[in-house]
Amino acid sequence: MAFRDKELTVPGTVEVAGRHVKRYHIDQPDRRLEPEVVEAAYAFLPKLLPEPDGSTPPASWVVLHRGADSGAYLLAYSWFWDNVVECRIAVAGQPALDCPDDDPAHFVPMPRPGVGCVWELGVLEHERTAWVRHLLAPDRPDLAGYLADTRVEGPVGW
């Protein structure tokens, strides 16, 4: 199968488990994320978010990615220790990653470490730069500016 872009959408920021969470969705060009997959992913999300550490603004971002096969992937990236990112991942519908079935709405913790695939890493690049621009570089950290600074919607991959 030839490599191709996928579609990135930005549904907005929500508060979950005491954290501000920026949301990104990555869809297949010919198949959008199903509502039941989105609902199941956000129901599972609190299990992936660490407690705020008390010194770092409680900010995270998530990428919900629908695979080309039966899989769906929920990646939660959270800032801690001022400038470090923690990644926790849940998967659904991907037996190769020890999912119990091929249901893309049945999320379980991913059993191996990872940080993201080529489509998801473009979001990570943006979030790193936005964190530096709004929280580390200015004299006064601007959490609201960071939360408003999202990657542009559209093709993602290249």
Side-chain angles (χ1 to χ4, degrees):
M1 178 165 104
F3 181 82
R4 63 182 182 166
D5 277 337
K6 296 181 182 182
E7 289 296 314
L8 177 74
T9 56
V10 184
T13 300
V14 294
E15 287 192 39
V16 179
R19 293 183 145 304
H20 302 280
V21 181
K22 296 164 75 170
R23 297 180 299 159
Y24 295 94
H25 291 175
I26 297 175
D27 292 302
Q28 298 297 318
D30 53 348
R31 183 178 69 200
R32 310 312 283 177
L33 276 159
E34 301 91 336
E36 61 272 14
V37 172
V38 174
E39 183 179 332
Y42 289 112
F44 195 91
L45 179 59
K47 297 175 186 176
L48 300 177
L49 297 173
E51 292 286 324
D53 67 13
S55 62
T56 306
S60 298
W61 76 92
V62 298
V63 178
L64 177 56
H65 181 178
R66 187 65 162 95
D69 53 15
S70 59
Y73 310 91
L74 179 63
L75 297 91
Y77 301 90
S78 298
W79 291 102
F80 75 98
W81 205 27
D82 216 25
N83 59 13
V84 179
V85 174
E86 174 180 319
C87 181
R88 297 180 184 177
I89 302 174
V91 295
Q94 185 54 266
L97 293 175
D98 295 333
C99 291
D101 52 45
D102 63 359
D103 179 357
H106 184 192
F107 284 89
V108 297
M110 190 164 97
R112 59 186 305 170
V115 294
C117 73
V118 296
W119 292 278
E120 298 149 359
L121 291 176
V123 174
L124 185 129
E125 269 181 320
H126 173 85
E127 290 299 315
R128 177 220 163 273
T129 302
W131 188 259
V132 170
R133 179 175 34 254
H134 296 287
L135 284 122
L136 299 181
D139 291 335
R140 294 176 124 181
D142 179 12
L143 180 60
Y146 168 74
L147 296 173
D149 188 342
T150 59
R151 185 155 193 241
V152 175
E153 292 186 326
V156 64
W158 282 102

